[in-house]
Amino acid sequence: MRGLLLAFILAAPPSFADHLFEDRDIATGAALYAENCAACHGAELQGQPDWRTPGTDGVLPAPPHDVTGHTWHHDTPMLMAYTLDGGQATLEARGVTGFKSGMPAFRDTLSEDDVLDILAYIRASWPVEAQNVQRQRTHGAD
């Protein structure tokens, strides 16, 4: 039985691998970010002004993706879901209510690999400490 369990763990798909960002194409991620994300999140990952203050519609402006924002505070599966399924659907699926997200779903536009390349590009802008925090939130104590 232990051998079967060990074989299952060793054969785990890439989503359970040590780190999802290894061998990602950062140049492709930068191009995809510019095409799909920069209009809201800024060409320099800076986000929209007053991103912590909801607009009159109750929706928060797009946050920065550089280290001044909170992207690095979230685990990779959450960031993937937020991007592919949209913010509102992801929050509701996690039981978060009373929050309005303006993040649209990109599942019909971007593949999971595209999103991982974009996230790798974003992550490359963070200091090592922030990368380590995000890695631990995704993978636990390796």
Side-chain angles (χ1 to χ4, degrees):
M1 181 68 163
R2 279 188 177 159
L4 182 60
L5 179 60
L6 180 59
F8 175 77
I9 291 170
L10 293 176
S15 62
F16 296 106
D18 180 44
H19 200 274
L20 292 174
F21 299 118
E22 289 180 14
D23 301 321
R24 299 287 13 160
D25 189 337
I26 292 176
T28 296
L32 288 167
Y33 177 89
E35 183 179 331
N36 296 282
C37 313
C40 294
H41 292 281
E44 302 297 321
L45 309 173
Q46 76 274 14
Q48 294 177 332
D50 300 320
W51 63 275
R52 290 186 173 128
T53 304
T56 57
D57 59 359
V59 177
L60 289 168
H65 285 311
D66 63 15
V67 74
T68 67
H70 56 80
T71 306
W72 61 276
H73 296 197
H74 300 293
D75 61 81
T76 301
M78 195 268 202
L79 295 173
M80 293 285 296
Y82 215 87
T83 305
L84 292 170
D85 301 328
Q88 199 65 43
T90 300
L91 292 172
E92 289 172 3
R94 290 183 173 223
V96 177
T97 59
F99 182 87
K100 292 172 72 176
S101 174
M103 176 71 174
F106 283 88
R107 189 170 292 282
D108 292 337
T109 307
L110 299 169
S111 70
E112 289 185 12
D113 278 335
D114 291 340
V115 174
L116 284 170
D117 286 344
I118 291 168
L119 291 174
Y121 161 70
I122 291 169
R123 190 176 185 280
S125 76
W126 304 336
V128 171
E129 296 82 12
Q131 291 180 26
N132 288 339
V133 167
Q134 199 276 333
R135 179 182 296 119
Q136 185 169 7
R137 288 187 178 175
T138 298
H139 303 289
D142 293 324

